[in-house]
Amino acid sequence: MRASRCFVQGQRLAANGQLDEALNAFEQALAWRPQMTGVHLHYALALSDADRLDEAVSAMHKAMAIEPLNAVLPMFLGLILFDHADYPGAQSWCEQALILDPQQLRAQALLALVDLAEGRVARGYEQLQQSQSPSLSMLERLAFKCGMRQPPLLYQQASSMWQSRLLLVIESHLMRAGDGVPTLADRLIHDSPQAEALQHVNIVDRILTPCVMTLIRLSYRLRYAAQPTRRDMWLRYAEAEEAYFTAQPDTAVDIYEQLMPDFPEPQRLEQRLYEIAYARGDFQRARTHWCNWSHLAEPDLGPLDRLQQAELQYQAGDYEGTKATLEQLTILPWSDFRVPYYEGLCHLRAGAKREAHRCFIETARRLNPNIVGVRLEELHRLHRAQPGPSVVDSMAHRSTLT
């Protein structure tokens, strides 16, 4: 019982980044129960995080000596070596794990990750796109057979800890490739079901919007009956709103900009101009309008508004501003995946890859629109677009974690 308590305490401390205390707790647990494989494993992982690689490898060998047929243990040794950029060693231990258990998905995923880290993008991508369904219930088999569901891909079955490493490898490669690579925000806008909202509206909207706007115009005519200049201005605003809601963004932008000098509530116009620019992926212009709007609406800004500010700052290349804005958000009860994601990117740009990895772990844990899949596709597109040896291949032997 004492060993178990120390073990649980060590896991909790390690998860919170208190490595010295965690190591001490694991050592106490091992003093009570030296044959507990799980303690050796987590002790090795904590040693690895503390940059004590030789001791971590020794601890893993002790665990494997206790359970030589456990395929999970050599896989974790491969993971530790991967984290320290020993890719041949990581590959060797993953292969040994697969000899013990050919269905060990995490070992298969780690082999693919080694390929990506060493620049073999096509092979790594192909492995990660394989469907993996080793143990299905009868109901799941029926759903797959009827086409109601698709079997999960290899990278989708991996844990958040593993997906965070994949995200780190991908973002490292994309960042080195230069500023021309589409960002996550670019891709999500492009791939979103709402991506065509600026060009298309459904039949119901086409019928209802003019009716609603007719009522709004009537209210403006009545409210400003004795003020013709003010009335004409608000009627013009209603025209812009109708264009906005019926997917005529160019018309809407023209009218909003014409109204800007004299309109009594400029924050409305700035907000609309920001929304249109963002939906088009014009982040520089979106940031300009957002700054104008946020300055006018300062008292009413909430966490989501601040998050949009951080995202726009990052898209515009203001990484210090992004970091400062995100530091304000971390004290708020906010669970959006973009908070740790952009924080991780800022760390990565500063060369702090371990800090970036911790942020990406949290990113992978939160609900998100398949970030890893989206960025993996972007890396694959970049690789295929290269006329000769790709940007990724030229960096085959560079470290992923330092």
Side-chain angles (χ1 to χ4, degrees):
M1 290 179 63
R2 290 180 179 179
S4 297
R5 283 199 298 269
C6 290
F7 179 39
V8 172
Q9 181 185 17
Q11 288 178 298
R12 183 173 62 253
L13 291 168
N16 292 329
Q18 299 172 265
L19 294 178
D20 290 338
E21 295 86 344
L23 291 170
N24 183 56
F26 290 137
E27 288 164 1
Q28 291 182 45
L30 288 172
W32 288 99
R33 293 290 302 277
Q35 295 300 108
M36 286 182 66
T37 306
V39 180
H40 284 287
L41 170 59
H42 285 271
Y43 182 48
L45 293 173
L47 287 167
S48 175
D49 289 340
D51 286 326
R52 294 161 60 177
L53 177 60
D54 292 340
E55 294 172 80
V57 172
S58 176
M60 285 305 308
H61 280 293
K62 290 178 181 178
M64 289 187 291
I66 297 170
E67 295 187 30
L69 299 181
N70 188 337
V72 171
L73 299 177
M75 184 279 300
F76 270 108
L77 178 52
L79 187 66
I80 289 171
L81 294 174
F82 175 86
D83 285 347
H84 292 269
D86 182 358
Y87 302 132
Q91 180 174 339
S92 175
W93 283 107
C94 284
E95 289 170 349
Q96 291 194 42
L98 289 173
I99 292 174
L100 295 173
D101 179 9
Q103 299 299 322
Q104 173 53 252
L105 296 181
R106 285 180 290 185
Q108 296 176 27
L110 185 55
L111 281 176
L113 187 51
V114 168
D115 282 332
L116 289 181
E118 293 204 306
R120 297 185 291 271
V121 174
R123 191 167 81 174
Y125 175 83
E126 184 179 351
Q127 290 175 312
L128 293 173
Q129 294 297 312
Q130 293 178 4
S131 298
Q132 298 291 335
S133 311
S135 57
L136 298 175
S137 67
M138 185 178 298
L139 186 60
E140 287 175 322
R141 290 194 186 94
L142 180 62
F144 291 150
K145 189 173 183 179
C146 296
M148 293 183 288
R149 288 181 58 193
Q150 295 296 323
L153 304 179
L154 178 57
Y155 79 87
Q156 293 173 324
Q157 292 207 41
S159 67
S160 60
M161 293 290 290
W162 181 89
Q163 286 196 349
S164 66
R165 288 174 169 85
L166 175 58
L167 188 58
L168 180 63
V169 170
I170 293 171
E171 294 293 355
S172 297
H173 282 318
L174 294 178
M175 201 169 284
R176 288 195 294 262
D179 296 331
V181 178
T183 64
L184 175 64
D186 289 313
R187 190 54 57 191
L188 292 182
I189 288 173
H190 182 270
D191 294 342
S192 169
Q194 289 79 34
E196 299 183 357
L198 291 179
Q199 289 76 36
H200 305 287
V201 291
N202 60 41
I203 296 175
V204 175
D205 285 337
R206 288 194 181 277
I207 295 173
L208 292 181
T209 300
C211 297
V212 173
M213 298 311 299
T214 298
L215 295 175
I216 292 175
R217 287 191 182 92
L218 178 59
S219 71
Y220 290 153
R221 290 181 189 280
L222 294 174
R223 183 185 304 175
Y224 304 112
Q227 305 174 52
T229 302
R230 200 173 183 86
R231 178 196 62 207
D232 292 344
M233 184 178 295
W234 281 98
L235 289 176
R236 189 75 168 142
Y237 172 73
E239 182 182 351
E241 289 287 275
E242 183 170 355
Y244 174 80
F245 286 111
T246 55
Q248 302 174 64
D250 293 330
T251 301
V253 168
D254 288 342
I255 299 174
Y256 288 137
E257 290 179 344
Q258 292 170 19
L259 289 172
M260 187 63 73
D262 303 313
F263 198 70
E265 298 182 25
Q267 65 270 23
R268 292 194 184 197
L269 309 183
E270 293 288 1
Q271 184 176 8
R272 285 286 188 253
L273 289 169
Y274 153 70
E275 292 169 353
I276 293 172
Y278 186 92
R280 286 173 157 173
D282 188 348
F283 298 115
Q284 288 283 0
R285 181 169 297 180
R287 187 189 180 199
T288 299
H289 290 302
W290 192 95
C291 291
N292 294 338
W293 168 69
S294 63
H295 175 72
L296 295 167
E298 182 69 32
D300 301 322
L301 296 180
L304 178 59
D305 300 317
R306 292 302 181 192
L307 177 56
Q308 290 174 333
Q309 177 187 7
E311 186 174 25
L312 289 170
Q313 287 172 318
Y314 185 85
Q315 301 299 339
D318 181 8
Y319 307 122
E320 289 299 321
T322 304
K323 188 175 179 181
T325 303
L326 289 173
E327 286 174 354
Q328 299 175 22
L329 279 171
T330 54
I331 64 174
L332 298 172
W334 192 250
S335 60
D336 194 292
F337 75 90
R338 288 172 293 180
V339 175
Y341 175 70
Y342 283 108
E343 186 179 356
L345 290 182
C346 289
H347 283 307
L348 195 56
R349 286 193 174 275
K353 293 192 174 182
R354 286 200 180 277
E355 289 76 6
H357 181 217
R358 293 189 184 98
C359 292
F360 289 153
I361 291 172
E362 185 60 31
T363 303
R365 285 173 177 166
R366 299 187 183 189
L367 293 176
N368 62 73
N370 191 23
I371 291 175
V372 174
V374 172
R375 300 307 276 162
L376 180 61
E377 290 295 335
E378 198 60 60
L379 178 62
H380 190 227
R381 275 191 289 269
L382 174 67
H383 175 75
R384 289 185 301 174
Q386 299 302 319
S390 73
V391 173
V392 177
D393 288 335
S394 67
M395 301 176 180
H397 299 291
R398 300 180 92 175
S399 298
T400 301
L401 290 171
T402 60

